[in-house]
Amino acid sequence: MNDAIKPGPETPSQAGLPELSVVVPTFNERDNVTVLYRRLAATLTGIAWEVVFVDDNSPDGTWEVVRGLARKDSRVRCIRRIGRRGLSGACIEGILASSGPYAAVIDADLQHDETQLPKMVALLQSGEAELVVGSRYIEGGSADSFDKQRAGASQLATEVARRALKVEVADPMSGFFMIRRDRFEQLAPQLSTQGFKILLDIIATAQGKLRTIEIPYTFGSRQHGESKLDSMVALDFLGLVLAKLTNDVVSLRFLLFAMVGGTGLVVHLTALFIAHEILKEPFAEAQAAGALIAMTSNFILNNFLTYRDQRLKGFAILRGLLLFYLVCGVGLLANVGVAFAVFDQEPIWWLAGAAGALMGVVWNYAMSGLFVWRKR
């Protein structure tokens, strides 16, 4: 019986396993994936490789194009994600599903320089590095294709990351890197599946324990497809930095939920002022209107930001909104109950108020995840 579980001699299929797995997150990139595949084939001659496209159920049918490539070349694989969104999550799933000892992440928009991949592989194979970063901000690199607004935002984010998280890499915002898969698997349980800055998350989580080398490359112009960045990326980035500053004691999703709650307070007070002071409504009615408007605002922002990977659509939005009203209503009772309990023990108004508010946020977050944006 023991002989049945002993490893046998290496088979040809095992001998042909890839040395490099290239992970490509995609969303509406059907015009780019074939071009990228051909470039990889031309660049990686002499290296055993595979490419894993992780597609977030693109409306343009990107996954269909990838499946067509996979039928012609077994080195091409497709992971089609339904009900999940986000570049970081796509990269994590792709790397964990890969076969090679080295995994590279490269965008499908043709802005990264795939000709640098052999050099990156060589640095990992030699043991000089465990992580190789394609950098736009060291000598020889360039990001001239950025407009002024995006260049400024990238430089600001880089500076915040370096100062707040003590990151020593010149380009921690890069989306082009290669890592030893065994080292990635050690870090993966602590990484956030939300957001866009997977490299920053890896570097911050490793806390300086990854041997890292940067190589320069020129960031190109987007050819086709849809940018994965939107106006909420800044909040995603801020949430990630705060999560790492707390050593992941507080999750990125909770921080985003709490930040949305902060905006809800502003919305509530604004609506209360308009209803009570301008429209001269009685306080009780004005307060109720302010609470309803704030809860609605919070639901919309959470649906598009905090739970963007589980975003509700169609009729599910109405159902989710009603459940969110219910959850927040109970949360308000929990808030008041805890505040009164604390005040009875220690009659300090701000301490009691803060304890009640924290209880409300924790309740709303936990119940929202269970009932409103529960994973299906």
Side-chain angles (χ1 to χ4, degrees), residues 4-19:
I5 60 174
K6 289 181 180 178
E10 188 179 69
T11 65
S13 61
Q14 290 172 322
L17 285 175
E19 184 79 357

Side-chain angles (χ1 to χ4, degrees), residues 286-316:
Q287 174 73 349
L292 189 65
I293 292 171
M295 284 190 288
T296 305
S297 170
N298 284 0
F299 173 80
I300 293 171
L301 284 176
N302 279 318
N303 195 44
F304 280 90
L305 174 62
T306 311
Y307 295 95
R308 81 167 76 198
D309 56 329
Q310 299 163 229
R311 187 174 296 169
L312 302 176
K313 297 180 180 179
F315 180 75

Side-chain angles (χ1 to χ4, degrees), residues 163-228:
R163 290 180 179 274
L165 301 179
K166 311 301 182 185
V167 170
E168 299 300 327
V169 174
D171 192 3
M173 302 296 115
S174 177
F176 180 37
F177 62 91
M178 188 182 296
I179 188 170
R180 279 179 42 176
R181 190 163 57 85
D182 58 345
R183 297 291 282 119
F184 180 85
E185 288 181 349
Q186 293 170 356
L187 300 171
Q190 298 169 263
L191 301 178
S192 171
T193 59
Q194 283 190 283
F196 296 84
K197 301 305 177 187
I198 179 67
L199 176 62
L200 174 61
D201 198 358
I202 290 170
I203 295 171
T205 300
Q207 298 181 333
K209 296 176 183 177
L210 274 177
R211 293 193 304 278
T212 303
I213 292 178
E214 293 184 81
I215 63 171
Y217 84 101
T218 298
F219 191 78
S221 300
R222 166 172 282 274
Q223 302 299 313
H224 306 96
E226 179 177 312
S227 174
K228 302 170 190 67

Side-chain angles (χ1 to χ4, degrees), residues 98-147:
S98 66
S99 303
Y102 311 119
V105 170
I106 186 170
D107 283 350
D109 54 20
L110 309 179
Q111 292 178 288
H112 295 154
D113 183 2
E114 74 287 342
T115 64
Q116 300 301 316
L117 291 173
K119 183 187 301 183
M120 298 166 93
V121 171
L123 288 170
L124 295 183
Q125 288 176 327
S126 69
E128 293 180 64
E130 297 170 311
L131 170 67
V132 182
V133 177
S135 178
R136 299 159 293 186
Y137 303 133
I138 62 174
E139 186 177 354
S142 170
D144 290 342
S145 62
F146 278 174
D147 57 32

Side-chain angles (χ1 to χ4, degrees), residues 17-65:
L17 285 175
E19 184 79 357
L20 170 65
S21 299
V22 181
V23 175
V24 187
T26 60
F27 186 73
N28 287 347
E29 304 276 9
R30 66 174 296 129
D31 294 326
N32 292 340
V33 291
T34 301
V35 177
L36 178 60
Y37 159 73
R38 289 173 179 164
R39 289 186 180 182
L40 291 175
T43 298
L44 297 174
T45 53
I47 298 174
W49 62 279
E50 67 173 351
V51 57
V52 182
F53 290 93
V54 186
D55 185 69
D56 285 354
N57 198 30
S58 296
D60 75 348
T62 298
W63 52 274
E64 293 178 307
V65 178

Side-chain angles (χ1 to χ4, degrees), residues 329-345:
V330 176
L332 179 60
L333 295 177
N335 180 331
V336 174
V338 169
F340 270 109
V342 172
F343 194 79
D344 282 343
Q345 297 295 319

